Amino acid sequence: MARGTNITKLEIIQTATRLFFSNGFSKTTASTLCKEVGISTGNLTFYFPTKEDILQVLVEMLCEYQWKMMEEHTDEGKSSLLSYCLELATMIASSDQNEQMRDFYLSTYRFPKTLESIRENDLQKTKQVFGEYCKDWTEEQFVEAETIVSGIEYATLMVTKHSAPIDKRVEGALKAIMLFYGVPKEIQDKKIAKILAMDYKAIGMRIYDDFKNFAQKTTENAIEEKINSIRSKNK
């Protein structure tokens, strides 16, 4: 039985998280989500006009959560280069090990709203991580660089039968990104060696599982804050 307007945004987000990570974002239809929540599609669009709007909230949550987790797994301080490298490595690893996670990540790069969230998040991050190597760069140059870097990330996540093994893809992506931002070769080699020596595959799956639990335990206020933040950025 439909529940009408008794539903909350939190319940929609929590149900969507469970469905996206168990069935895949692409295979989860609005009607499936509505059936699980117990509302009509009309009521769903009142809260979230499209699936992309729900995905955007999850992207904002995941970006913040991932970075905190990366810092916990490294010892080089907040917004460090190693944390940045580990974040990308764990994304690639969890995508390789879980089809639904790959679908989730790839979907975030395919929609304008979610891609914008990724680029905005990564823009601020790369200015912190790579600022010392790009001291003369303007804001426009960082924006242009992020456009290219997000393309490298997407290409690395997209696997075909001709794709290289995961270690080679991680190494290639990190090397290309650090080269682009002018990181000296000796530093590139050191960071890549550290990442490849870590069990980044296990870390990636642990973060994937932990984020699902985190999303299920989030609060209505936290969801409202994310939605308001998105609206503020879109003005």
Side-chain angles (χ1 to χ4, degrees), residues 45-82:
T45 57
F46 174 77
Y47 295 102
F48 298 99
T50 67
K51 269 202 317 176
E52 180 186 352
D53 292 288
I54 299 174
L55 184 62
Q56 188 175 19
V57 175
L58 287 176
V59 168
E60 294 277 345
M61 292 170 62
L62 181 59
C63 285
E64 181 179 339
Y65 185 79
Q66 274 183 317
W67 190 243
K68 289 179 180 178
M69 294 302 100
M70 294 310 105
E71 291 177 342
E72 290 184 8
H73 285 287
T74 62
D75 58 0
E76 296 193 4
K78 187 176 180 180
S79 300
S80 70
L81 180 53
L82 187 62

Side-chain angles (χ1 to χ4, degrees), residues 118-136:
I118 290 172
R119 287 180 173 170
E120 173 61 26
N121 174 79
D122 287 357
L123 174 63
Q124 302 307 318
K125 189 182 301 178
T126 53
K127 286 195 291 186
Q128 295 178 40
V129 174
F130 299 109
E132 63 180 296
Y133 308 110
C134 310
K135 293 181 179 178
D136 297 328

Side-chain angles (χ1 to χ4, degrees), residues 106 109 149-160 163 169 173:
L106 291 177
Y109 286 86
V149 168
S150 62
I152 294 173
E153 293 169 350
Y154 180 82
T156 307
L157 292 167
M158 177 66 76
V159 177
T160 71
S163 297
R169 284 187 286 122

Side-chain angles (χ1 to χ4, degrees), residues 146-190:
E146 176 47 39
T147 300
I148 296 171
V149 168
S150 62
I152 294 173
E153 293 169 350
Y154 180 82
T156 307
L157 292 167
M158 177 66 76
V159 177
T160 71
K161 64 180 181 179
H162 301 296
S163 297
I166 184 170
D167 281 354
K168 291 296 183 183
R169 284 187 286 122
V170 168
E171 180 180 1
L174 294 178
K175 188 172 293 185
I177 292 171
M178 287 192 280
L179 179 64
F180 194 80
Y181 284 108
V183 178
K185 187 177 184 305
E186 60 271 19
I187 296 179
Q188 293 180 36
D189 293 342
K190 180 180 178 181

